[in-house]
């Protein structure tokens, strides 16, 4: 009887440790780079806790909601958030995610699932070697009408790709905001986490409605740890110099991309 109790206690401790590191990776990725928590939490829960992928995605998306909202609030408080264009892009992303998912269901399975992982690493290397040094003054030089059109078109592209591939929303938004729309890095991350708050909420509700109630202990731990580390990362990011933030963000993207790629190889 005692052995069963010890085994049970060890299982609980192991679960807490796994959720802690999953939440830490997801929170740092969210707070620094506006990444989706699903990119980190999902493979960790599947690999180490043996959870079903669909259930793990639901927990990861639910963890993303508060973490992204908290990060968005921190970036907004420091005037590093473009709410108006963020809302425009969010509507396009949500609409065309459904379109991309529908098109994907009509096609045979492809090997594009690792696309977002490789793009995460490439984007991280880009931030390290060629930092985004765009200023808010340069951003203000773009007319509001042009910015709205750009937000709609880029939202369509991001949504379709994410729906078709099934991953990469936060990473795709960060890449488009900095490399295509010319956003300053802090504003790009702030806008990205603002959008991810609503896309993650939509995805989490959808997953739980289809899959049923999640593992509440794992959900609670992942939400708590992701929120904690996202808060820490967002506060640090908003106080950092642009070049320092670029390098830290790049390093985190490269490390997270490598870790997720390793998890994917383990589970095959």
């Amino acid at each position: 009887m005692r052995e069963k109790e010890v085994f049970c206690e060890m299982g609980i401790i192991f679960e807490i440790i796994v959720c802690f590191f999953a939440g830490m990776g997801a929170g740092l990725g969210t707070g620094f780079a506006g990444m989706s928590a699903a990119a980190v939490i999902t493979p960790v829960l599947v690999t180490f806790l043996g959870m079903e992928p669909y259930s793990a995605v639901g927990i990861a998306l639910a963890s993303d909601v508060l973490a992204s909202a908290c990060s968005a609030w921190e970036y907004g408080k420091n005037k590093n958030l473009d709410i108006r264009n963020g809302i425009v892009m969010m509507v396009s992303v949500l609409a065309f995610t459904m379109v991309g998912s529908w098109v994907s269901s009509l096609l045979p399975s492809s090997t594009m699932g690792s696309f977002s992982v490789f793009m995460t690493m490439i984007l991280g290397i880009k931030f390290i070697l060629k930092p985004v040094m765009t200023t808010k003054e340069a951003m203000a030089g773009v007319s509001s009408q042009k910015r709205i059109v750009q937000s709609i078109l880029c939202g369509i592209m991001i949504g379709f790709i994410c729906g078709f591939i099934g991953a990469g929303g936060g990473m795709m938004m960060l890449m488009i905001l900095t490399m295509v729309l010319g956003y300053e890095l802090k504003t790009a991350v702030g806008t990205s986490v603002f959008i991810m708050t609503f896309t993650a909420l939509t995805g989490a509700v959808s997953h739980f409605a289809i899959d049923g109630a999640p593992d509440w202990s794992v959900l609670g731990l992942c939400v708590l740890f992701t929120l904690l580390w996202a808060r820490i990362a967002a506060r640090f990011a908003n106080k950092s110099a642009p070049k320092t933030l670029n390098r830290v963000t790049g390093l985190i993207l490269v490390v997270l991309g490598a870790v997720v790629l390793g998890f994917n190889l383990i589970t095959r």
Side-chain angles (χ1 to χ4, degrees):
M1 189 67 177
R2 177 59 183 167
E3 291 180 356
K4 289 184 178 180
E5 291 178 357
V6 172
F7 183 78
C8 183
E9 290 175 0
M10 290 179 62
I12 294 173
I13 293 173
F14 180 72
E15 184 177 277
I16 294 173
I17 292 173
V18 169
C19 292
F20 174 81
F21 283 105
M24 180 174 68
L28 291 176
T30 299
F32 275 115
M35 283 184 64
S36 169
V40 179
I41 292 179
T42 302
V44 172
L45 297 185
V46 170
T47 303
F48 293 102
L49 297 184
M51 188 170 291
E52 288 295 323
Y54 195 84
S55 299
V57 170
I59 289 175
L61 289 170
S63 302
D64 213 1
V65 176
L66 287 180
S68 293
C70 176
S71 298
W73 180 82
E74 187 69 36
Y75 279 92
K77 186 177 68 172
N78 288 276
K79 303 185 185 306
N80 293 316
L81 172 59
D82 185 355
I83 294 180
R84 184 177 66 173
N85 291 300
I87 292 174
V88 171
M89 184 177 289
M90 178 182 67
V91 173
S92 299
V93 169
L94 290 174
F96 278 83
T97 295
M98 292 186 287
V99 174
S101 179
W102 175 73
V103 172
S104 178
S105 68
L106 302 177
L107 301 175
S109 299
S110 65
T111 58
M112 293 181 68
S114 59
F115 171 80
S116 62
V117 178
F118 288 110
M119 285 305 300
T120 297
M121 297 176 69
I122 291 172
L123 187 60
I125 293 171
K126 188 268 180 190
F127 282 142
I128 294 173
L129 300 180
K130 191 177 180 181
V132 176
M133 301 303 291
T134 304
T135 62
K136 291 184 178 179
E137 289 74 18
M139 285 179 58
V142 179
S143 68
S144 58
Q145 293 84 357
K146 181 179 179 180
R147 184 70 78 191
I148 289 174
V149 172
Q150 289 177 330
S151 297
I152 293 172
L153 294 177
C154 290
I156 290 172
M157 180 172 62
I158 294 169
F160 183 84
I161 292 175
C162 294
F164 187 79
I165 297 172
M171 180 276 303
M172 285 294 299
M173 275 187 279
L174 183 63
M175 182 173 68
I176 295 297
L177 288 170
T178 55
M179 299 174 67
V180 178
L181 299 185
Y183 273 55
E184 176 260 344
L185 182 57
K186 291 181 183 179
T187 306
V189 176
T191 305
S192 178
V193 290
F194 171 74
I195 297 172
M196 287 303 298
T197 300
F198 299 95
T199 57
L201 177 61
T202 303
V205 171
S206 175
H207 270 70
F208 294 152
I210 295 172
D211 194 46
D215 183 320
W216 293 109
S217 62
V218 174
L219 173 62
L221 289 169
C222 285
V223 168
L224 174 64
F225 292 132
T226 304
L227 176 61
L228 170 66
W229 286 100
R231 172 75 168 160
I232 293 171
R235 294 194 68 177
F236 178 84
N238 278 281
K239 294 179 181 179
S240 300
K243 186 169 287 188
T244 301
L245 179 59
N246 271 270
R247 288 173 176 169
V248 173
T249 301
L251 180 61
I252 288 174
L253 288 173
V254 171
V255 171
L256 290 180
V259 170
V260 172
L261 181 61
F263 286 150
N264 289 341
L265 293 174
I266 290 174
T267 56
R268 285 182 181 177

